[in-house]
Amino acid sequence: MRIFIFIFISFLFLSTACKNTEKTSNQPAEKPNKPAFSPYIQPSGIKRQWAQSATAYDVKKILPPANVSGKVKNIIFLIGDGMGLTQIYAAMTANKGKLNIENCTYTGLIKTYASDAYITDSAAGATAFACGTKTYNGAIGVDAQGNPVKTILEIAEEKGLATGMVATSSITHATPASFIAHQKSRKMEEEIAADFLNTDIDVFIGGGKQFFEHSVGDKNLLIDLKNKGYQVVDNLKDITAVTKGKLAGFTAEVQNPKMSEGRGDMLSQSTKTAINILKQNPNGFFLMVEGSQIDWGGHDNNPQYVIDEALDFDKVIGEVLEFAAKDGETLVVITADHETGGLTLLGGNISEGKVESAFSTGGHSAVMVPVYSFGVQADKFTGIYENTAIYDKMMSILGFKK
Ligand code: MG
Ligand code: ZN
């Protein structure tokens, strides 16, 4: 008897769920008098949203250099903030089933938890990549006890490589900050700006001019940067005109606009400019590029924002892979610090480039995130490992010791 009641209740629930989704789902409507298996039962209160890309772009087949075991001269490390597997597949669907990232020949998965939390923030996540240490949420280039830890970018600079960073957030925001600064809290953006002067980083491009112009004690670090030999410029046209030397490029007072607000190809132009300058160093270079706002789309529970930002990031990935393929001595590693939004994909149509999704949180989630690699030594990034192992692998590939 109990089993019949259960089946009856399940039938009622399924038929309600189907009715609720009929308007938005493009799956064929189920016959009303025949309860079919539903792969997804909609919990109450979940918001399903459709999103799509305005235009799909072409994805080229990019072949990695033949010799994967060759020597690595340059590392380009790309971080899609908040870019989990669902963000990537949503973007891939919106681009009609293809992305440049698919050219990566090796994939892995990383565990992203922080030293003090199951779910990491971007500061602890980036510090794990930059310093090889699990730390507490909010920590910038310091360990779990708050002690500064030298970053891979600082070590690369000391070893004579050229170094650079590009981001679509302020350059003092948690992710890029963790590669160059040592502060107890990500909120200390004026102190983080001051830490840029403690290194010899060659190129940095992003928002956050205000934190340099009015740093700690209202000190104007733009003057200090000029005195240190930087070309300090504050618009994309002047940034892309720089072809050598040291460059501090500011694209916004604080944060850059979203793609939907007209950011255009700022990330692509900035990355190209950085590579063109850095590749002139005969010892090689280390460049970190961040698609910062994929995360912000997740926090906003806005799938269109997520997709627009992920596609912008993927276009840059395509250009970076083309450089690495041609160069033959470059390793490209692409990953995320964590997933944002608990994004799930509930419907879609690849040929129409449409995807239906829902979020389960306004924050980050704990799930492992993918790692993609391309070029020389790319095979070292397969498997399941800690986020700190990204640092260990890059350090060993460059022949550096802690
Ligand atoms: Mg970030
Ligand atoms: Zn976030």
Side-chain angles (χ1 to χ4, degrees):
M1 187 59 198
R2 245 186 245 168
I3 187 83
F4 287 115
I5 295 171
F6 174 73
I7 290 170
F8 181 64
I9 291 171
S10 306
F11 170 71
L12 279 184
F13 186 68
L14 275 176
S15 48
T16 324
C18 291
K19 260 176 223 150
N20 287 347
T21 60
E22 252 164 33
K23 260 179 233 155
T24 49
S25 171
N26 70 337
Q27 285 167 355
E30 285 155 1
K31 291 193 181 100
N33 55 357
K34 192 183 167 205
F37 172 72
S38 167
Y40 175 77
I41 298 169
Q42 183 170 339
S44 57
I46 197 165
K47 189 179 163 200
R48 298 169 72 131
Q49 303 177 77
W50 281 97
Q52 68 189 109
S53 169
T55 49
Y57 55 85
D58 283 334
V59 164
K60 267 190 249 168
K61 182 82 198 142
I62 307 164
L63 291 173
N67 183 15
V68 72
S69 56
K71 195 184 172 305
V72 172
K73 186 177 171 192
N74 316 308
I75 291 184
I76 305 177
F77 184 38
L78 297 124
I79 303 175
D81 198 317
M83 189 181 74
L85 201 53
T86 44
Q87 283 76 9
I88 290 165
Y89 198 62
M92 193 183 290
T93 305
N95 199 45
K96 304 198 170 174
K98 56 198 188 301
L99 286 182
N100 288 308
I101 202 169
E102 290 175 75
N103 284 300
C104 290
T105 30
Y106 298 91
T107 54
L109 290 167
I110 50 169
K111 305 174 198 180
T112 66
Y113 62 89
S115 70
D116 66 336
Y118 183 54
I119 298 179
T120 189
D121 82 327
S122 293
T127 299
F129 298 146
C131 305
T133 181
K134 293 268 184 187
T135 189
Y136 61 91
N137 281 342
I140 300 291
V142 298
D143 67 15
Q145 286 72 45
N147 306 308
V149 183
K150 205 171 269 185
T151 72
I152 188 167
L153 185 144
E154 290 173 301
I155 296 168
E157 188 60 48
E158 281 177 14
K159 299 276 185 189
L161 276 72
T163 57
M165 290 204 288
V166 179
T168 53
S169 60
S170 72
I171 202 71
T172 48
H173 207 261
T175 311
S178 298
F179 283 81
I180 201 163
H182 305 280
Q183 296 294 339
K184 292 197 163 41
S185 168
R186 59 185 288 167
K187 291 180 187 146
M188 301 160 74
E189 286 194 77
E190 292 175 7
E191 287 83 354
I192 290 166
D195 278 355
F196 275 69
L197 273 299
N198 296 332
T199 74
D200 279 316
I201 184 170
D202 297 275
V203 176
F204 58 95
I205 306 170
K209 185 183 172 199
Q210 151 190 312
F211 303 113
F212 289 84
E213 200 162 17
H214 307 281
S215 184
V216 187
D218 207 24
K219 192 161 190 266
N220 186 347
L221 299 178
L222 300 179
I223 296 166
D224 297 48
L225 284 168
K226 276 180 198 151
N227 290 340
K228 242 187 132 179
Y230 283 90
Q231 300 161 82
V232 180
V233 286
D234 63 1
N235 65 78
L236 197 57
K237 196 166 161 276
D238 291 346
I239 288 168
T240 54
V242 177
T243 56
K244 55 179 189 295
K246 288 169 104 65
L247 167 62
F250 297 102
T251 49
E253 280 296 316
V254 186
Q255 308 305 352
N256 290 289
K258 305 170 185 179
M259 281 309 285
S260 64
E261 293 168 342
R263 191 173 75 238
D265 58 357
M266 171 262 163
L267 188 61
S268 160
Q269 294 287 337
S270 304
T271 304
K272 265 187 224 159
T273 302
I275 291 174
N276 282 336
I277 297 171
L278 300 176
K279 75 178 183 191
Q280 295 167 33
N281 185 320
N283 299 325
F285 67 83
F286 177 86
L287 170 65
M288 193 287 291
V289 177
E290 189 198 19
S292 320
Q293 298 197 29
I294 303 164
D295 174 65
W296 302 354
H299 284 294
D300 279 3
N301 280 191
N302 180 340
Q304 194 65 57
Y305 190 179
V306 170
I307 286 169
D308 292 346
E309 296 295 331
L311 292 176
D312 175 53
F313 189 55
D314 183 66
K315 285 180 191 160
V316 176
I317 289 170
E319 289 160 2
V320 166
L321 295 184
E322 277 194 275
F323 168 80
K326 226 178 278 169
D327 176 72
E329 292 182 298
T330 298
L331 165 67
V332 181
V333 180
I334 308 161
T335 190
D337 44 0
H338 51 73
E339 193 274 347
T340 304
L343 180 65
T344 183
L345 309 183
L346 303 170
N349 185 314
I350 292 172
S351 61
E352 290 175 22
K354 283 161 61 176
V355 61
E356 187 187 27
S357 64
F359 291 91
S360 61
T361 174
H364 304 161
S365 78
V367 68
M368 292 192 289
V369 291
V371 181
Y372 308 82
S373 54
F374 180 97
V376 274
Q377 303 295 334
D379 57 333
K380 303 293 185 294
F381 291 83
T382 60
I384 300 174
Y385 45 92
E386 300 289 344
N387 54 1
T388 49
I390 296 269
Y391 165 92
D392 298 333
K393 290 169 194 291
M394 292 194 299
M395 286 284 286
S396 117
I397 285 167
L398 288 173
F400 297 165
K401 288 206 181 69
K402 267 194 200 192

